Amino acid sequence: MSSPRMSPNYKPLPVVVATAEGEWITDVGGRRYYDALAGYSSLNFGHRHPALIKATKDQMDRVTLVSRAFDFELLAPFAEKLTDLCGMDMMLPMNTGAEAVETAIKAARKWGHDVKGIEDNQSLIIVAEENFHGRTTTIVSFSSDDVARESFGPFSPGFLAVPYGDTEALAKAIEENADRLAAVLLEPIQGEAGVNIPPDDYLPAARRLTEEANALLILDEIQSGLGRTGYTFAWERVGVKPDIMTLGKALGGGIFPVSAAVGRKEVMGLLTPGTHGSTFGGNPIACALGIAVCDMLATGEYQARARELGEHFQARLEGMVREGLLLRKRGVGMWAGIDIDPDRASGRAVCELLMDKGVLAKDTHGSTVRFAPPLSTSKEDLDWMLDQLEAVLVEIRP
Ligand SMILES: *Cc1c(COP(=O)(O)O)cnc(C)c1O
């Protein structure tokens, strides 16, 4: 049901969703599908989790929009719960992930200018190749995806991209630019690039190198965070705490866009009235949802589930690699990227075959398919989904 009235900036699978619950989606014809994408990790708690629906509805009966011109009763409680969950001092609420990243960039540049003493307009942020941090003109300026960039210039200066996971390249870039370096911005695991996991010593090295160069470490946990990897944040896997982290996607419980930059007060405390803001950032429904999401994660139940069920999930995918059905797989917890032999089928073709079998997933970069099932999924449903995947991979085997 695509419409000529819509800008064709997406090429969705030909399914028209009508309703959803838990890990299941129903289309307008009444057919059911397993949601193996979960809104790119926005639906970590499944569709329409009762506690999140209740928090939203209750808030709708009280007040729905305030704007930051006035205070709101749940804003401080949201800030307390979120900073507690993150082990950080301060948060700044926004709406989309890209806005959280923009916020982190601005906070880092302000710190670089005000505290480190970087000269006006000289500030540098080192990023990784194959990154995905959103779609604003500044953010696509440091993307290495030609499709995301082409024809959108002129681009914002002040960014330098180095190969992801390459400690030596990072060390060299930091050393050469230490004086004007405000921050290093990384995804702890690159989701959009196909769930790329860096070597275990990479983030610890980034932490050490940024400290030595008096620069900040910003980790974008928008897709990797909030339980997905079996940890609240993917950086916990390697014990590296950033100065700022960005959150989004699942922070809104799959109901509403909620994002935030969360960090140390020495950085986040520098933004003064007028320097940054958002009409909808920290709105009442966002606060109510954010609190409910923090409460759900504070128990550790979802993280433990992602770890346990994730082991089974990863083991089954590993088995498909051993059987020659997949070229490779990468993954941790309930997150995986699988590489199909491009001579057998494209990622898109596999997603279409999966759809015919009742599974919705999304290809990324040619022959890679990403899986991020809801953390709340039952083992039976997960196994059913994996059975369908296996059947598709057997079908395309020459
Ligand atoms: C999705 C994503 C973003 C952008 O979030 P939007 O809400 O689409 O703006 C930024 N960083 C990462 C790692 C993401 O996965």
Side-chain angles (χ1 to χ4, degrees):
M1 247 190 273
S2 71
S3 162
R5 304 294 185 93
M6 282 191 64
S7 171
N9 67 326
Y10 275 93
K11 188 179 175 228
L13 286 170
V15 57
V16 183
V17 176
T19 61
E21 186 170 0
E23 58 267 57
W24 294 96
I25 283 175
T26 305
D27 75 6
V28 287
R31 184 153 185 226
R32 268 168 39 108
Y33 301 86
Y34 185 95
D35 186 357
L37 177 65
Y40 301 92
S41 243
S42 301
L43 290 151
N44 283 2
F45 312 103
H47 289 271
R48 297 171 52 245
H49 188 287
L52 298 170
I53 292 289
K54 182 174 187 311
T56 311
K57 284 187 172 169
D58 287 351
Q59 188 54 49
M60 281 183 167
D61 287 334
R62 292 176 64 80
V63 58
T64 57
L65 193 61
V66 173
S67 95
R68 296 286 306 277
F70 315 125
D71 203 354
F72 161 62
E73 62 176 352
L74 293 184
L75 196 51
F78 177 33
E80 273 158 37
K81 295 235 170 174
L82 186 61
T83 49
D84 277 349
L85 188 75
C86 298
M88 290 285 193
D89 305 318
M90 281 185 184
M91 63 86 101
L92 194 162
M94 298 294 282
N95 313 285
T96 64
E99 288 173 307
V101 173
E102 290 275 353
T103 302
I105 290 170
K106 284 177 72 176
R109 283 185 175 172
K110 183 132 180 73
W111 174 87
H113 180 272
D114 295 5
V115 178
K116 180 164 170 173
I118 299 172
E119 278 176 44
D120 277 347
N121 303 319
Q122 293 304 307
S123 196
L124 183 76
I125 294 179
I126 294 176
V127 298
E129 289 171 7
E130 310 301 320
N131 68 71
F132 183 82
H133 297 289
R135 301 289 197 172
T136 65
T137 44
T138 289
I139 292 171
V140 299
S141 294
F142 56 86
S143 169
S144 43
D145 178 355
D146 288 339
V147 180
R149 279 168 58 92
E150 202 176 60
S151 70
F152 296 121
F155 298 113
S156 300
F159 299 95
L160 173 68
V162 295
Y164 186 66
D166 182 340
T167 301
E168 242 172 78
L170 182 65
K172 186 162 174 286
I174 290 177
E175 196 190 315
E176 284 171 0
N177 297 284
D179 287 350
R180 64 184 195 107
L181 186 66
V184 171
L185 163 63
L186 299 169
E187 293 158 89
I189 293 171
Q190 291 187 324
E192 200 71 19
V195 191
N196 275 347
I197 304 173
D200 281 351
D201 59 359
Y202 181 62
L203 293 176
R207 178 67 286 182
R208 182 173 39 79
L209 291 163
T210 45
E211 267 166 22
E212 286 169 6
N214 187 27
L216 304 174
L217 179 64
I218 307 171
L219 292 179
D220 181 346
E221 289 272 4
I222 290 169
Q223 195 166 150
S224 55
L226 306 180
R228 176 56 54 194
T229 61
Y231 299 84
T232 311
F233 307 107
W235 54 255
E236 290 174 82
R237 266 184 77 239
V238 288
V240 167
K241 197 168 168 185
D243 300 296
I244 310 177
M245 65 175 138
T246 53
L247 296 172
K249 293 201 164 93
L251 190 58
I255 294 181
F256 207 76
V258 183
S259 75
V262 194
R264 288 170 44 211
K265 63 176 178 304
E266 292 82 358
V267 186
M268 300 307 294
L270 297 172
L271 294 165
T272 51
T275 54
H276 194 49
S278 161
T279 303
F280 291 99
N283 70 73
I285 294 168
C287 290
L289 269 169
I291 288 170
V293 165
C294 288
D295 285 344
M296 285 166 78
L297 287 168
T299 67
E301 174 197 333
Y302 285 90
Q303 297 90 321
R305 188 164 175 74
R307 221 165 7 226
E308 266 164 46
L309 203 53
E311 260 173 46
H312 174 68
F313 176 49
Q314 304 294 343
R316 279 205 61 183
L317 292 174
E318 236 11 293
M320 294 181 210
V321 176
R322 270 199 310 277
E323 282 166 44
L325 295 172
L326 290 174
L327 268 188
R328 279 175 300 270
K329 68 86 72 165
R330 296 164 298 280
V332 56
M334 291 295 280
W335 206 20
I338 60 170
D339 294 345
I340 320 279
D341 181 344
D343 292 336
R344 295 185 189 175
S346 67
R348 173 79 183 194
V350 166
C351 288
E352 284 168 1
L353 291 168
L354 278 171
M355 191 185 131
D356 291 341
K357 294 199 186 302
V359 173
L360 297 178
K362 176 76 173 77
D363 55 299
T364 175
H365 297 270
S367 56
T368 298
V369 181
R370 174 178 21 178
F371 290 90
L375 311 181
S376 53
T377 189
S378 72
K379 182 156 183 283
E380 294 69 39
D381 289 351
L382 181 71
D383 272 325
W384 180 86
M385 183 274 280
L386 290 164
D387 292 344
Q388 308 314 304
L389 173 64
E390 204 162 338
V392 165
L393 296 174
V394 167
E395 249 172 59
I396 61 169
R397 183 164 57 185

